Each structure stands twice: as structure tokens, then as C-alpha cells.
Amino acid sequence: FKEKVNISSAFDKLISQKNEDLNLKHILLQKSASNLRKSRLDAIPKFKRELINNLNNLGIKEAQFEVELSEREEFSNSGKDEINFLFSANIGSELNSISKVASGGELARVMISISYLCSDNNSVKCIIFDEIDSGVSGKIADLMSEMMIRMSKNCQIISITHIPQIASKSDTHLLVYKQINNGKTISKIKELKTEERVGEIAKMLSGKKVSESAIKNAKELLNL
């Protein structure tokens, strides 16, 4: 009871102390957010330059890209910056938020270009692409696969894809399929052997009815 009485009588002092601690932490938080903003501003020119170069290599020859920073009122675990990526794929088109102006294929190429830059960071151990190749095919898909190969030198790359040019570049192929057991659908996964790899790539090339030319093409893609 004596302890409770002492706490009650020193309540104003306790509130004052807590407010001082809170103000100190706010100052430290503001300083951390400012340092983070400075680091972002320092990194943006190189990031933008390398990203545009990657997009040029992936066929978007007139790509324009900007990083827009604005300050939020509240703090978050990523500081106080609101970050917006602005993009344009064509000369004469105004830069706008990438979510509003990029097509599926353009968005895929921007995403893999950003991932490519991130793969140089030693803290990135694994990158998973879930149909990153959506909206692209042919030469562009082949260029994306070459980027994935270079990325795999620094970190583990897992790619879920239906594009033969990308699937064929993998060191290991895993087939995801479904089975019905006792009225329930179960997803399963298995590692493919050489001939199975050829068969699955050939299916991507020609559909359910696999032709001899598709098998030959699959072997060429797999360098067999």
C-alpha cells in the first residue's frame, strides 16, 4: 500500500518523465527517418540509371523512370517517406504512377529489373518469381531468362512459369500437379528427370499433343 501511495503522489512527476522519454525517442526517430531519406536520395540517381538500362535491354527502348518521395505525417517501419514509382514506356507520354500506366508485359519487365538490382545485395538470399513473365514471350522472355541466370550467381532463384524459354534455363525442374484422393484435391510436387524435363518443355511448346518438332525444340532449349 505504501508503494501505491508513493506512486500516486508522484504521478505528475512520472507523467513528466514519460513525456521527456517520449520526446527524446521522437527526436531519435526523426533523425533516423532523415538519415534514411538522405540515403534514398543518394541512391536514386544510380538506381534510376541502372533500371532504365535494364529496361532498354529488355526492349523498352524509350523507358522513362522517376522515384517520387513525399513525406507522410506519421512514421512507419520504413521511415516517413511515401515512395511512388513513375513510369513511361513511350516518347511523348507523361510520367505517371507505374500501377496506372504500365501494361502487364511492361510491369513484368520493371519488376524483374528491380529484382535484378536487388540480387546484388548480399542480404538477399532467395527471390521467388510467380509468373513474372506474364505478358511477355519470344525474345523478351529469353532476355529475362538470361537475367535470371545472372541473378542466380548471387542468390537462389525460384521461378513459377509457363514460358518454355524461361523454364528451360533452370538447373532443376519441379513439376506441380494435382491429384484427387478420397474426394479431395491435393497439390503435389516432384523433381523431374532429364526425359521428363524434355516432355514438360515440349508440352509448353505444343500443348497436350506433343509433336516430334516440339520434342526436338525442347532438347535444343535444354542444350541436350
Side-chain angles (χ1 to χ4, degrees):
F1 280 117
K2 183 178 180 180
E3 183 179 348
K4 288 183 178 180
V5 169
N6 288 335
I7 291 174
S8 178
S9 61
F11 202 65
D12 290 340
K13 184 179 180 181
L14 182 63
I15 290 176
S16 178
Q17 183 181 340
K18 293 294 183 183
N19 282 329
E20 286 181 12
D21 291 343
L22 188 61
N23 289 334
L24 179 60
K25 284 182 169 54
H26 186 273
I27 291 170
L28 293 174
L29 191 58
Q30 183 65 55
K31 185 178 179 180
S32 296
S34 297
N35 289 337
L36 182 56
R37 183 180 180 84
K38 184 179 182 303
S39 296
R40 285 181 172 134
L41 290 171
D42 290 341
I44 283 173
K46 181 182 178 183
F47 174 77
K48 185 177 75 170
R49 184 173 62 252
E50 293 185 357
L51 182 64
I52 290 175
N53 183 58
N54 287 337
L55 292 173
N56 292 162
N57 293 335
L58 289 172
I60 308 180
K61 298 299 183 183
E62 308 299 338
Q64 300 174 69
F65 189 88
E66 293 289 347
V67 181
E68 184 180 71
L69 294 184
S70 56
E71 190 171 339
R72 290 191 296 253
E73 291 186 6
E74 300 295 330
F75 290 98
S76 72
N77 59 357
S78 59
K80 290 190 75 175
D81 292 328
E82 185 77 39
I83 303 172
N84 189 22
F85 289 160
L86 306 178
F87 174 75
S88 171
N90 305 297
I91 292 178
S93 298
E94 291 186 7
L95 285 161
N96 207 331
S97 178
I98 194 169
S99 61
K100 296 180 180 178
V101 297
S103 67
E106 290 165 351
L107 189 58
R109 281 176 273 185
V110 171
M111 290 299 296
I112 196 169
S113 295
I114 292 174
S115 299
Y116 183 76
L117 297 178
C118 291
S119 67
D120 285 335
N121 189 326
N122 291 331
S123 65
V124 178
K125 302 300 182 185
C126 179
I127 298 177
I128 300 175
F129 293 118
D130 187 359
E131 297 190 21
I132 188 69
D133 43 54
S134 175
V136 301
S137 60
K139 180 182 177 181
I140 301 303
D142 197 52
L143 290 170
M144 290 175 72
S145 71
E146 293 297 331
M147 289 182 73
M148 289 184 187
I149 291 173
R150 291 195 292 273
M151 292 165 65
S152 70
K153 307 300 180 185
N154 299 322
C155 62
Q156 172 72 59
I157 300 296
I158 298 174
S159 178
I160 302 165
T161 182
H162 296 285
I163 305 295
Q165 289 93 335
I166 290 179
S168 62
K169 297 297 192 297
S170 177
D171 297 313
T172 302
H173 288 96
L174 303 173
L175 174 67
V176 180
Y177 62 102
K178 294 181 179 180
Q179 284 186 346
I180 298 177
N181 292 334
N182 298 323
K184 292 184 178 180
T185 302
I186 300 173
S187 295
K188 293 192 174 185
I189 188 169
K190 63 176 288 190
E191 183 176 348
L192 300 180
K193 298 179 181 178
T194 302
E195 288 305 315
E196 292 173 319
R197 292 169 68 192
V198 172
E200 289 301 323
I201 297 295
K203 286 180 184 177
M204 289 182 178
L205 290 163
S206 64
K208 290 183 179 180
K209 188 176 180 181
V210 178
S211 64
E212 286 298 323
S213 60
I215 292 175
K216 182 181 178 181
N217 195 1
K219 288 181 178 179
E220 289 176 356
L221 287 173
L222 290 165
N223 294 318
L224 298 176

